[in-house]
């Protein structure tokens, strides 16, 4: 029986119960730790896998808990599962998830293997060390026994799913959005690093710049792509630094598409 321990989980279960109450014929598909490509889901705070890739490409340490388990699910695989369930006229509740029950630390190492990233950046920690705002279940994976008996669909391991994800990232349309997000992450990282070097809080930096703490938080989030040259120049003046812009040759080989 489901027993969610945070608001996110409780509201999802409430939604399922409403569907069960209102409809006799329904199909609910649960999933877990979804990863894949889409314009907005590429934002680092929306997609754990891309967040890890972004940070490691920028030589940032990443912290991964060895006691937080899930069943990472490739979005393309989930799409296929849903289509096949609909074609089968399935009803009820199904779990559409990856085939591998794995902890975050091992999963991040697999990401590094597939994308050729520096494993020295991976820091092994416990869930409690992450100090997350919302409580998380340590074992949050989904059992897939029911769905394997209903449809003919290969449920992917992490290596297989991440391999397909890597191929997806080569798509020119997605790469356009990905590079935009990657630049935003880099700018956010530089602003955060500068603020920490000066020993300032977000509120203190906001007062220097003449803006609000919420604006500084947005600039440092990595998800904001509305930077202007004027904004960056204001930050430079307020911190006694110089904004430097350079043109560099395009690297033909990118980690995400190698």
């Amino acid at each position: 029986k489901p027993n969610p321990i945070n608001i996110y989980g409780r509201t999802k279960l409430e939604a399922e119960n409403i569907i069960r109450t209102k409809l006799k014929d329904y199909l609910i598909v649960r999933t877990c730790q979804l990863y894949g490509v889409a314009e907005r889901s590429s934002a680092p705070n929306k997609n754990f896998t891309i967040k890890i890739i972004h940070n490691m490409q920028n030589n940032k340490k990443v912290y991964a808990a060895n006691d937080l388990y899930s069943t990472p699910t490739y979005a393309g695989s989930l799409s296929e599962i849903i289509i096949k369930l609909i074609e089968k006229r399935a009803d009820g509740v199904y779990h559409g998830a990856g085939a591998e029950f794995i902890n975050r630390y091992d999963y991040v190492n697999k990401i590094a293997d597939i994308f050729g990233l520096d494993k020295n950046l991976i820091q092994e920690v416990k869930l409690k060390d992450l100090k997350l705002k919302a409580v998380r279940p340590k074992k949050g994976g989904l059992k897939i026994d029911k769905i394997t008996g209903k449809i003919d669909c290969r449920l992917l391991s992490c290596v297989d799913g991440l391999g397909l994800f890597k191929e997806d990232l080569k798509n020119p349309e997605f790469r356009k959005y990905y590079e935009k997000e990657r630049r935003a992450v880099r700018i956010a990282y530089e602003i955060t690093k500068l603020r920490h070097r000066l020993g300032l809080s977000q509120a203190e930096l906001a007062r220097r710049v003449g803006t609000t703490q919420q604006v500084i938080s947005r600039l440092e989030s990595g998800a904001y792509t509305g930077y202007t040259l004027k904004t960056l120049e204001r930050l430079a003046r307020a911190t006694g630094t110089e904004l430097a812009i350079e043109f560099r040759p395009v690297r033909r080989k990118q980690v995400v598409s190698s």
Side-chain angles (χ1 to χ4, degrees), residues 25-29 78-92 94 147 150-151:
D25 184 16
Y26 62 84
L27 173 63
I28 295 171
V29 182
L78 177 62
S79 300
E80 183 181 358
I81 288 169
I82 293 172
I83 290 169
K84 290 193 173 184
L85 285 171
I86 293 171
E87 290 174 344
K88 282 275 189 178
R89 297 186 179 278
D91 62 352
Y94 289 85
I147 202 164
K150 184 68 176 181
I151 60 173

Side-chain angles (χ1 to χ4, degrees), residues 36-37 42 44 47-58 110-118 161-183 185 251-258:
V37 300
S42 63
N47 185 317
F48 175 78
T49 305
I50 285 188
K51 177 181 179 180
I52 293 299
I53 296 170
H54 271 300
N55 287 343
M56 293 182 73
Q57 283 184 329
N58 285 308
K110 288 181 185 291
I111 293 173
D113 285 336
I114 295 296
F115 289 90
L117 302 168
D118 182 5
L162 288 168
L164 291 173
F165 183 37
K166 183 178 180 180
E167 290 300 311
D168 290 342
L169 289 170
K170 294 178 182 179
N171 181 290
E173 277 301 304
F174 176 75
R175 284 202 58 77
K176 177 178 68 175
Y177 295 114
Y178 175 84
E179 292 301 333
K180 183 179 181 182
E181 301 287 358
R182 187 181 179 192
R183 287 193 295 272
V185 171
R251 291 184 298 168
R252 295 300 178 188
K253 184 178 181 181
Q254 298 284 349
V255 171
V256 295
S257 60
S258 59

